[in-house]
Amino acid sequence: MQISKSIIFNANSKPLYTCQISQDDETLFATAGYDKNIYVYETSPPYNLHLTLSSHTNYITSLKWKAEAYILSTSVDTTAILWNVATGTVDRKFKSHKNIVHCCDISDNLAATCGDDAHLLVWDRRVKDYVLTLQTQCPLTACLIRKDERSILFGGIDGSVTEYSLQNQAYARIIPKQPVGLYYINEAESEALVAVSQMDNSLLLYQKAPNGDYKLQHALRQDPKPAEDTSFVKSDLAPNGGLISSGNSETLTVWEASTGRVFRSMKSPVGSISQVAFSRTSQHISLCGSNGTACIIPLGS
């Protein structure tokens, strides 16, 4: 990725809610939101718009890359769509949710989606329908397929994080219920750190202990958001576990995961931040927000 200084991508005038740099070669960057379209940009000069993906009928809530080949997206229209980026077409549309779909994740063989219908659906990409459905007691806002497709983490408005083992078909609550609802989950590639974004825009970082339990390491908070600000932020933990980042209506903040100290803080270039997402190499961070723009920022030492 040839980005040595901050690059702004002007998608449109509508709020953007989700963004991510593509995996593997990091040659593409996708962002989406209120206007129902996914905008895919090149990450090399002159940073052209590569293609626009259109099929959702309501605003897009999340997206995830699988290498440079596929994007999985979710929407308020209750669907999830797997896109073929090479052809710019819909590879598959998943229609089994009954309410807003908030989050998705994708791996080599599996895709996972969850939403307001309190269901986590796991799809095998090699067959036409979902292969597992988990019903919970509260709306779900986050899901994450763990390495080697051994298990899935998920959580929602009760603030807890649960792990479901795909091998043993067993549940384990790894983070207990919290006073504040959960909005997003991330973890380091080593699985030693799990980060939880809360609905008050605070950020909790848990470290895995030798006995397998997760212990709270840092509770990171930015300035309290204004009462009229009802937005939530999808924060991120760098894949290498070194940095963790979040934002609010004014500021992007990056902390050192080991110490909890601020590594970098800057005024948001995208309005009120909706999501921050590290690149696979942990060397860049992307963000998008309320003013219809997205940004990629290089992270120096």
Side-chain angles (χ1 to χ4, degrees), residues 10 12 21 34-35 37 44 126 129 131 182 206 247 285:
N10 294 294
N12 58 73
I21 299 166
Y34 189 81
D35 79 343
N37 297 320
S44 297
R126 298 161 293 187
D129 205 354
V131 294
L182 173 154
Y206 292 85
I285 192 167

Side-chain angles (χ1 to χ4, degrees), residues 46-111:
Y47 312 108
N48 287 330
L49 179 64
H50 182 70
L51 80 162
T52 301
L53 303 173
S54 302
S55 185
H56 282 296
T57 59
N58 209 324
Y59 72 76
I60 296 169
T61 54
S62 69
L63 63 81
K64 283 290 183 70
W65 282 92
K66 177 55 188 170
E68 268 73 37
Y70 293 96
I71 291 175
L72 180 64
S73 61
T74 61
S75 173
V76 173
D77 67 14
T78 75
T79 70
I81 296 178
L82 182 65
W83 305 86
N84 184 318
V85 176
T87 63
T89 59
V90 173
D91 185 82
R92 186 172 302 170
K93 181 175 283 192
F94 305 104
K95 301 180 180 180
S96 296
H97 281 284
K98 305 302 181 185
N99 209 323
I100 296 171
V101 190
H102 284 293
C103 190
C104 63
D105 199 12
I106 187 168
S107 61
D108 288 340
N109 299 308
L110 301 177

Side-chain angles (χ1 to χ4, degrees), residues 115 117-120 134-140 154-156 158 162 171:
D117 60 1
H119 282 76
L120 171 73
L134 304 177
Q135 184 173 6
T136 66
Q137 301 300 313
C138 70
L140 296 176
F154 61 92
D158 72 349
T162 299
Y171 295 88

Side-chain angles (χ1 to χ4, degrees), residues 139-153:
L140 296 176
T141 53
C143 58
L144 185 152
I145 302 171
R146 303 196 90 170
K147 189 167 55 178
D148 301 326
E149 300 178 338
R150 294 177 287 106
S151 63
I152 296 177
L153 301 183

Side-chain angles (χ1 to χ4, degrees), residues 110-111 121-125 127-133 166:
L110 301 177
L121 302 182
V122 181
W123 317 81
D124 189 322
R125 296 168 54 201
V127 300
K128 292 184 178 181
D129 205 354
Y130 61 88
V131 294
L132 175 67
T133 177
L166 297 171

